Amino acid sequence: LGISADGRRLVALSDSGHRFSARLEYDRSGNLSGLHDTNFGSLAGLDGRSLSSKADGDAESMAPGVEGEIIVAFERRHRLWRYRPGITVPEPLPEPVEMSDLPFNNGVEALTLLADGSLLALSEGKRDRDAVVGWISDRNGWSVLTYRAADGFRVTGAATHPGGDVLVLERLFTLRGENVIRLKRITAAAIKAGARLDGKTIAELRPPLTIDNFEGIEARQGPRGEVLVYLVSDDNFNTEQRTLLMMFELLE
């Protein structure tokens, strides 16, 4: 999920290689109220053709780049591609060497641009019992770090708070029907090579609150200086699930 700084434009990617964009509408109180000028299309591959297979089009996370591009992380065939503004064909980016060792369906689930221009990437694949492997970029490439994902929760997305911290979206789902979403906050100072990140839980959604398979997150500063957090869910092409777009105000 990507939201423009003024909150007027949305771009979302699916794990089937599709791209959706729209203009966001708000009511007089500033609440999210609808979409218009929608556009649905496909991401292109290196040959300029639409990504047509799950193996090629399984986009799991995206982030803006410092030059206005969109950087997309794919799983199954793990890779990072950069889509420049107005250019259909992507450019492959150097990736962490450890990415190729991730399970085919447990790739980079969270990707966000930090305030200093570096990228933070967190995987869904386990490094040990209660942590996942992640990376932070710099001019020389990527450095490894880990993120504590305990209590059965799995990373599904990340966004950078306007103040520089990182918000990590996690989900717990069990075959018994338990479905919980939580939001954790990592301080900017803690994010560095070799760190073991352990965010602080700042919000949790569970029934009877509205909940679904939330996998995308974005954050921006609102017109009054407030922090607005957007979540989008993936319905997995399942009629029992929904694709929801929700906006929250984060109370500091």
Side-chain angles (χ1 to χ4, degrees), residues 30-220:
N31 297 312
L32 186 63
S33 61
L35 304 171
H36 66 100
D37 294 340
T38 59
N39 182 271
F40 186 77
S42 298
L43 292 173
L46 299 180
D47 60 359
R49 297 180 179 179
S50 297
L51 299 176
S52 58
S53 70
K54 181 71 171 179
D56 286 334
D58 196 356
E60 290 293 333
S61 53
M62 61 177 281
V66 294
E67 298 177 4
E69 70 271 37
I70 292 177
I71 299 169
V72 182
F74 296 86
E75 68 177 14
R76 297 181 187 265
R77 196 160 64 80
H78 303 299
R79 62 203 189 277
L80 296 173
W81 282 357
R82 172 169 57 197
Y83 290 84
R84 293 189 180 274
I87 299 177
T88 302
V89 179
E91 302 173 9
L93 289 179
E95 61 196 42
V97 294
E98 299 85 0
M99 253 180 74
S100 61
D101 294 328
L102 293 173
F104 87 104
N105 199 32
N106 294 121
V108 173
E109 290 283 328
L111 186 68
T112 189
L113 180 70
L114 303 180
D116 64 1
S118 59
L119 288 169
L120 173 68
L122 299 176
S123 76
E124 189 180 17
K126 296 286 184 180
R127 183 179 178 92
D128 54 39
R129 188 178 67 176
D130 65 349
V132 296
V133 64
W135 302 269
I136 186 170
S137 70
D138 60 28
R139 294 180 180 179
N140 299 316
W142 295 89
S143 298
V144 174
L145 47 75
T146 57
Y147 174 78
R148 185 173 183 269
D151 309 319
F153 283 83
R154 306 188 76 163
V155 173
T156 61
T160 299
H161 184 286
D165 292 349
V166 168
L167 304 176
V168 179
L169 181 64
E170 298 181 353
R171 185 189 183 209
L172 170 67
F173 178 78
T174 68
L175 295 178
R176 298 188 303 274
E178 188 176 12
N179 193 4
V180 184
I181 296 295
R182 73 181 178 190
L183 192 60
K184 302 187 82 172
R185 183 171 182 168
I186 306 171
T187 61
I191 304 172
K192 53 189 175 183
R196 185 177 177 89
L197 305 176
D198 187 3
K200 176 184 178 182
T201 299
I202 60 172
E204 190 170 282
L205 297 178
R206 61 174 66 237
L209 298 176
T210 299
I211 192 170
D212 215 292
N213 179 31
F214 287 108
E215 292 198 9
I217 180 173
E218 184 62 289
R220 72 176 183 93

